[in-house]
Amino acid sequence: MKTRKVLALAGVTLLSAGVLAACSGGSATKGEQTFAFTYETDPDNLNYLTTGKAATADITSNVIDGLLENDKYGNLVPSMAEDWSVSKDGLTYTYKIRQDAKWYTSEGEEYAPVKAQDFVTGLKYAADKKSEALYLVQDSIKGLDAYAKGENKDFSQVGIKAIDDQTVQYTLNKPESFWNSKTTMGVLAPVNEEFLNSKGDDFAKATDPSSILYNGPYLLKSIVTKSAVEFAKNPNYWDKDNVHIDKVKLSFWDGQDTSKPAENFKDGSLSAARLYPTSASFAELEKEMKDNIVYTQQDSTTYVVGTNIDRQSYKYTSKTSEEQKTSTKKALLNKDFRQAIAFGFDRTAYASQLNGQTGASKILRNIFVPPTFVQADGKNFGDMVKEKLVTYGDEWKDVNLADAQDGLYNPEKAKAEFAKAKSALQAEGVQFPIHLDMPVDQTATTKVQRVQSMKQSLEATLGTDNVIIDIQQLQKDEVLNVTLFAQTAAGEDWDLSDNVGWGPDFSDPSTYLDIIKPSVGENTRTYLGFDSGKDNEAAKKVGLNDYDKMVNEAGEETTDVTKRYNKYAEAQAWLTDSALVIPTTSKTGRPILSKMVPFTLPFSFSGNKGTSDPLRYKYLELQDKAVTADEYQKAQDKWMKEKEESNKKAQEDLAKHVK
């Protein structure tokens, strides 16, 4: 799903749960409050039910509420549903819709109550419109897969029912301990049928706030392409006491002048600003505001370098012959060659182009599923993966998969793997050097610097007589069109790409690993250059059918969480060894200046109602002065202790919902 999920490699968006999530000692501002920030990508629509793109979710998740949301400790708490229950067999979830839930127009006028039927209408619309996010629930809800495929045209046979105006019920195919975390996603959000029909094709138009209804904490007041997005507090919102910011103003920033956000923060134009340690002005800024520079916690978004194993388009290329195209294709199908790229890539140097030398390690990630994303039997996910990975070969025995350090870069390993690859490839008639095209937004300084750093380290390690990285500097729209926004694999015009990442939709490893299954994965083209479900030859050659089988077997384990996570760890180990998807960094873990009271926003590693990505404005509080590093650290320590206690209590309370 191209949601907040397939994410364009960020140049500015930045804020983690850590920055935005418990209480600080700073004094909160009084009177009308405005939160001013920046954004980089305009949405192509406001359709929260069908889109999967981050640019849309950044907006709609602040104006549309689903059944549940996250509190500041990551617990799921009531939103449109004031209460819920699950059957003993784990298959039936029943939600009671609150009486004071209402739909409002963009002008704040009451339109209608939010009813259980609105959730049924929303899911039917998502299925009928082939929502990019439907895969999240298509195999979960009874009968939905058959309806989506046209095998059954009667939606009443799908496992969602409005029992009465205040009760909506879902029937699942099999137990999902993480089901409730999916309810924060747009594909399960409600929509008013009368309004939907009245708008027709004009529903959810990108620049028209009046094209959707609102049941959330904010109303979208205006959106001007490549200029500004403005929100206002919904004065009649059911939980308005927890909405502290009256207005939100986002200004478009193209990423070129990296000193601009900090300057705008200092002059009061912005409430928070991402800092760029590699900019010429950073040294002076550091002297002036050293006590206020805060490094955020790492979030669960993972940026990667993808490998296009079946490239079809060559509009943007430095290749000059068919022989070069064929040689590159054969090289990328060779696992030893891909491992040479993974081991030969200095990711600390790469990250330093964004975070500076001091902060480079703070954003590094070594596996696609973050190592601490889930835990079972006293181990975190990274530990489980390491146990499986070492069985693939000696090259993995000393690899550290923990965050915040580069566990992959090893020039000697890179050279050894390349030597094996070159011998095999020469026997196939491959000509060296291998030319690898990498597209990059030429207007975003740090993005260009990162790709140049990758080129430098790979060519230095492997030699330009063996590998040449051909950087294709393009306009931002061109890059998006041949990576993130490409509609089919034929439009993916690159060999290596670091332009996308993935943020989880729900609290289970499948939210990462399912998306690149060759059978039904929604993002095989974005990460690997082929369309899923078409029995792709390149996918077969690299062994992705084995990966598909491992992920499917893990998904079939629904009762024993430890067994389930260990099976997913096996799939992650295979993926790591394959070097098809090379993790680089998290989205957060970066330096900022901020007037946000630390730890006042909801927290979650997944879904659309936490702050791991993107920013949510409900609960946010501001203070008069910039947060200090000392303030932040004290707030973090306090929050971590409270979070552990709160999560434990929430887990114990789950039994109360089983009926």
Side-chain angles (χ1 to χ4, degrees), residues 404-595:
Q405 52 84 43
D406 190 347
L408 298 179
Y409 179 53
N410 188 310
E412 294 308 310
K413 286 183 184 178
K415 292 173 182 176
E417 295 304 322
F418 184 81
K420 290 189 289 184
K422 188 170 186 177
S423 177
L425 290 170
Q426 284 180 325
E428 295 181 39
V430 168
Q431 298 297 307
F432 290 84
I434 301 298
H435 285 263
L436 298 166
D437 292 312
M438 286 195 72
V440 65
D441 175 4
Q442 64 187 13
T443 64
T445 305
T446 59
K447 293 180 183 178
V448 174
Q449 291 171 339
R450 274 175 274 183
V451 175
Q452 289 174 335
S453 172
M454 183 175 180
K455 172 183 173 70
Q456 182 178 8
S457 63
L458 282 173
E459 292 181 354
T461 299
L462 302 177
T464 53
D465 55 332
N466 291 316
V467 173
I468 293 177
I469 306 298
D470 292 314
I471 300 173
Q472 306 298 323
Q473 296 198 34
L474 311 176
Q475 293 294 326
K476 181 174 184 174
D477 289 344
E478 291 175 320
V479 174
L480 290 173
N481 287 338
V482 301
T483 56
L484 180 64
F485 292 163
Q487 295 300 304
T488 66
E492 300 286 351
D493 195 0
W494 48 273
D495 294 315
L496 298 178
S497 174
D498 71 340
N499 287 287
V500 293
W502 186 258
D505 297 309
F506 50 90
S507 302
D508 188 71
S510 60
T511 187
Y512 293 90
L513 300 176
D514 277 355
I515 67 166
I516 51 176
K517 293 191 328 187
S519 57
V520 295
E522 288 296 312
N523 290 290
T524 54
R525 65 176 177 269
T526 309
Y527 287 84
L528 299 170
F530 69 91
D531 291 315
S532 66
K534 295 186 178 180
D535 207 22
N536 185 269
E537 272 307 311
K540 289 181 184 178
K541 287 181 180 178
V542 299
L544 274 164
N545 287 349
D546 293 333
Y547 171 81
D548 198 291
K549 183 179 179 182
M550 284 188 277
V551 175
N552 287 337
E553 287 181 354
E556 290 168 2
E557 177 53 67
T558 61
T559 57
D560 189 319
V561 171
T562 299
K563 287 182 179 179
R564 180 181 178 88
Y565 290 170
N566 269 292
K567 286 179 180 290
Y568 277 121
E570 290 178 4
Q572 172 65 78
W574 185 96
L575 187 63
T576 298
D577 181 65
S578 77
L580 287 164
V581 174
I582 304 169
T584 58
T585 58
S586 57
K587 189 173 186 179
T588 61
R590 302 173 181 176
I592 68 164
L593 296 172
S594 172
K595 290 183 180 178

Side-chain angles (χ1 to χ4, degrees), residues 105-150:
T105 68
S106 59
E107 297 303 315
E109 298 175 351
E110 184 176 330
Y111 186 90
V114 175
K115 297 182 178 180
Q117 183 60 37
D118 296 344
F119 290 88
V120 180
T121 301
L123 184 60
K124 183 178 186 301
Y125 177 86
D128 290 343
K129 295 294 184 179
K130 311 283 186 198
S131 170
E132 292 174 335
L134 192 66
Y135 84 96
L136 266 173
V137 294
Q138 187 166 333
D139 292 329
S140 300
I141 299 174
K142 186 177 180 180
L144 182 57
D145 183 58
Y147 181 82
K149 292 176 178 176

Side-chain angles (χ1 to χ4, degrees), residues 31 152 207 391:
N152 169 36
T207 57
T391 65

Side-chain angles (χ1 to χ4, degrees), residues 231-335:
F231 301 83
K233 179 179 178 178
N234 182 351
N236 299 305
Y237 180 57
W238 71 273
D239 196 23
K240 61 185 178 182
D241 290 345
N242 280 316
V243 185
H244 308 295
I245 305 300
D246 299 283
K247 296 179 180 179
V248 176
K249 295 184 178 181
L250 308 179
S251 54
F252 181 77
W253 183 63
D254 61 11
Q256 293 190 66
D257 183 358
T258 53
S259 65
K260 186 177 180 180
E263 291 302 317
N264 287 345
F265 178 85
K266 289 194 297 180
D267 68 21
S269 301
L270 292 180
S271 306
R274 166 80 180 91
L275 304 182
Y276 290 83
T278 59
S279 66
S281 60
F282 184 76
E284 183 178 343
L285 178 71
E286 192 173 29
K287 290 180 182 178
E288 180 183 355
M289 304 195 73
K290 185 176 182 180
D291 292 341
N292 301 106
I293 295 176
V294 172
Y295 282 88
T296 65
Q297 293 179 331
Q298 282 188 274
D299 67 343
S300 54
T301 295
T302 301
Y303 286 109
V304 304
V305 172
T307 57
N308 192 335
I309 60 175
D310 192 22
R311 184 176 179 182
Q312 301 170 52
S313 178
Y314 291 91
K315 181 179 179 181
Y316 303 110
T317 185
S318 296
K319 295 178 177 63
T320 58
S321 68
E322 289 300 318
E323 183 179 65
Q324 287 184 348
K325 295 176 185 178
T326 300
S327 292
T328 297
K329 276 192 172 184
K330 288 182 177 180
L332 289 176
L333 290 174
N334 183 288
K335 185 176 78 168

Side-chain angles (χ1 to χ4, degrees), residues 59-66 69 79-80 102 104 214-220 231-248 602 609 616-620:
I59 293 173
T60 59
S61 292
N62 284 295
V63 302
I64 302 294
D65 277 355
E69 64 184 27
S79 184
M80 288 294 95
K102 309 288 185 183
Y104 300 92
Y214 302 79
N215 69 343
Y218 286 91
L219 307 173
L220 178 63
F231 301 83
K233 179 179 178 178
N234 182 351
N236 299 305
Y237 180 57
W238 71 273
D239 196 23
K240 61 185 178 182
D241 290 345
N242 280 316
V243 185
H244 308 295
I245 305 300
D246 299 283
K247 296 179 180 179
V248 176
K609 288 296 183 177
R616 303 290 170 254
Y617 311 121
K618 184 179 177 181
Y619 302 108
L620 173 60

